[in-house]
């Protein structure tokens, strides 16, 4: 069995490693927007993840007429991206619902400026296909891999709480996705709390199944987070607003073109097309731009209070102090139901 697991791990690691690249940068003057103007043009520094904002904006045709240049930096997940925002190396970037809580709790210089709401089915705790574990309560005493400060971190906490357990009742192993995958497929951990497309990849491979997902546990919110210095610069503020609007239009395009986007996403990440399409219909395609309203802030405050109570962030804080809704316009409430493709994927 051990040798089979190693083979499966090798088969999965290549495409998933592409999703977990270390931070790297690429200039995007003519590359990203078709701009061929001189080096004096305004440059917006954007944090991204593989197959993320750059890929979807390009696929939706939203990079064809940029009035500024973009310099993309790619990160493994939300927490390191927000470290770059705090350092001023990145002006704006997209993350899940939990990284801003950890960053704000550490006193980072960040401002949440835009939100989306999507289906939480892709947020899952996975177990091997032949695992004896059947409910979250069965995780007691077991080893669970999770990326610290990720959206999956809170999903793990919430799922355990529903089962009458806490993090102290399990053996938490803090691992980034590529390392967590290796640990999961080699049997070094009993479960893995993660998000799509990793969830869809494991399900497609047949190596694992969902023990429980994030529906009813996590808020399904995702955010664009900016550096306060960028918002204080009138020229960059205008570019940030334009960038956010393009992302919103691209999200509309994704919902209406799931197959086309899945093809692009598969090419960008190395994922099989079937995996990409499943992830689109399970999670990424269901997202809808929503307002940064009181309900969204209150939901994030609950996450902040939970992690502060567990001692996983340095201090309690007001999440509202890190929110700026100047770009909300006429968006629907944050509690607006996620989009659906008409079936449970």
């Amino acid at each position: 069995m051990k040798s089979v697991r190693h083979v499966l791990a090798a088969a999965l690691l290549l495409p998933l490693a592409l999703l977990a690249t270390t931070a790297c940068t690429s200039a995007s003057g003519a590359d990203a927007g078709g701009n061929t103007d001189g080096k004096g043009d305004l440059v917006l520094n954007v944090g991204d993840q593989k197959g993320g904002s750059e890929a979807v904006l390009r696929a939706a045709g939203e990079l064809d007429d940029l009035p500024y240049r973009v310099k993309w930096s790619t990160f493994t997940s939300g927490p390191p991206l927000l470290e770059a925002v705090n350092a001023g190396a990145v002006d704006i970037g997209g993350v899940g619902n939990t990284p801003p809580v950890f960053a704000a709790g550490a006193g980072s210089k960040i401002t949440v400026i835009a939100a989306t709401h999507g289906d939480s089915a892709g947020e899952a705790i996975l177990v091997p296909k032949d695992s004896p574990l059947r409910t979250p309560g069965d995780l007691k005493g077991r080893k669970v891999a999770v990326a610290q400060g990720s959206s999956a971190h809170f999903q793990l906490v919430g799922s355990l709480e529903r089962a009458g357990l806490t993090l102290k009742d399990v053996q938490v192993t803090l691992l980034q996705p590529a390392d967590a995958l290796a640990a999961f497929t080699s049997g070094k951990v009993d479960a893995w709390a993660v998000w799509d497309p990793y969830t869809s990849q494991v399900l497609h491979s047949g190596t694992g199944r969902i023990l429980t997902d994030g529906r009813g546990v996590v808020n399904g919110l995702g955010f664009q987070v900016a550096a306060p210095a960028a918002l204080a610069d009138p020229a960059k503020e205008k570019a940030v607003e334009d960038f956010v609007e393009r992302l919103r239009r691209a999200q509309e395009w994704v919902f209406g073109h799931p197959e086309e986007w899945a093809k692009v996403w598969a090419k960008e990440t190395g994922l099989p097309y079937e995996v990409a399409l499943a992830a689109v219909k399970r999670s990424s395609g269901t997202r809808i731009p929503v307002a940064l309203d009181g309900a969204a802030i209150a939901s994030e405050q609950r996450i902040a209070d939970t992690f502060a109570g567990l001692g996983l962030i340095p201090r309690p804080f007001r999440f509202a102090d890190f929110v700026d809704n100047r770009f909300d316009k006429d968006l629907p409430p944050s509690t607006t139901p996620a989009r659906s493709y008409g079936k449970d994927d």
Side-chain angles (χ1 to χ4, degrees):
M1 175 61 73
K2 185 175 181 181
S3 62
V4 172
R5 281 176 170 159
H6 281 301
V7 170
L8 290 170
L12 287 173
L13 274 174
L14 179 58
L16 285 179
L18 291 173
L19 286 167
T21 52
T22 54
C24 58
T25 61
S26 61
S28 308
D31 286 346
N35 268 328
T36 56
D37 296 337
K39 294 182 179 179
D41 289 350
L42 177 67
V43 175
L44 191 66
N45 297 296
V46 179
D48 199 10
Q49 297 181 50
K50 195 70 176 178
S53 296
E54 181 179 11
V56 71
L57 287 168
R58 189 183 302 282
E62 291 293 341
L63 292 180
D64 294 341
D65 57 351
L66 286 179
Y68 47 85
R69 291 186 294 138
V70 175
K71 182 179 180 182
W72 300 94
S73 298
T74 307
F75 297 86
T76 58
S77 60
L81 190 159
L82 293 188
E83 290 176 12
V85 172
N86 176 58
V90 165
D91 296 319
I92 183 173
V95 297
N97 64 350
T98 304
V101 167
F102 272 75
S108 296
K109 299 173 183 176
I110 64 165
T111 303
V112 178
I113 61 167
T116 61
H117 180 227
D119 196 323
S120 300
E123 296 270 355
I125 298 177
L126 305 173
V127 295
K129 189 175 182 180
D130 58 354
S131 171
L133 308 184
R134 295 295 168 184
T135 70
D138 295 334
L139 291 170
K140 187 173 184 177
R142 303 287 186 155
K143 292 183 179 179
V144 185
V146 66
Q148 181 167 349
S150 66
S151 57
H153 203 161
F154 183 73
Q155 198 254 329
L156 173 61
V157 172
S159 296
L160 290 173
E161 186 178 73
R162 282 192 160 194
L165 303 176
T166 71
L167 290 178
K168 293 181 180 179
D169 293 310
V170 299
Q171 300 178 54
V172 177
T173 302
L174 299 174
L175 296 171
Q176 286 294 315
D179 294 329
L181 170 69
F184 180 79
T185 54
S186 64
K188 292 181 179 178
V189 296
D190 300 297
W192 181 19
V194 73
W195 56 90
D196 252 337
Y198 302 103
T199 298
S200 294
Q201 175 75 344
V202 169
L203 295 178
H204 179 74
S205 72
T207 60
R209 56 180 171 81
I210 293 176
L211 181 71
T212 187
D213 66 32
R215 288 172 169 170
V217 179
V218 298
N219 58 24
L221 296 175
F223 299 108
Q224 290 295 316
V225 182
L231 298 176
D233 180 320
K236 281 207 171 180
E237 178 198 25
K238 187 176 180 180
V240 166
E241 181 177 16
D242 176 80
F243 184 80
V244 167
E245 284 298 318
R246 290 170 186 271
L247 282 174
R248 288 169 178 164
R249 292 196 298 266
Q251 187 63 54
E252 296 284 343
W253 178 86
V254 166
F255 180 69
H257 303 80
E259 292 84 5
E260 189 173 345
W261 167 233
K263 290 177 183 177
V264 174
W265 201 12
K267 183 177 180 180
E268 287 283 330
T269 61
L271 290 167
Y273 167 74
E274 295 79 10
V275 171
L277 183 59
V280 170
K281 292 189 173 183
R282 179 178 286 112
S283 52
S284 71
T286 71
R287 307 201 70 82
I288 180 172
V290 295
L292 277 169
D293 55 17
I297 292 172
S299 182
E300 288 297 297
Q301 188 65 53
R302 286 193 289 274
I303 297 176
D305 293 344
T306 296
F307 281 118
L310 292 170
L312 294 177
I313 57 176
R315 61 186 177 88
F317 68 94
R318 290 182 70 251
F319 189 80
D321 293 341
F322 294 84
V323 173
D324 186 330
N325 64 2
R326 72 178 77 173
F327 304 126
D328 268 7
K329 298 185 177 178
D330 298 322
L331 292 174
S334 63
T335 53
T336 301
R339 294 184 172 107
S340 171
Y341 286 95
K343 62 179 180 179
D344 186 355
D345 293 291

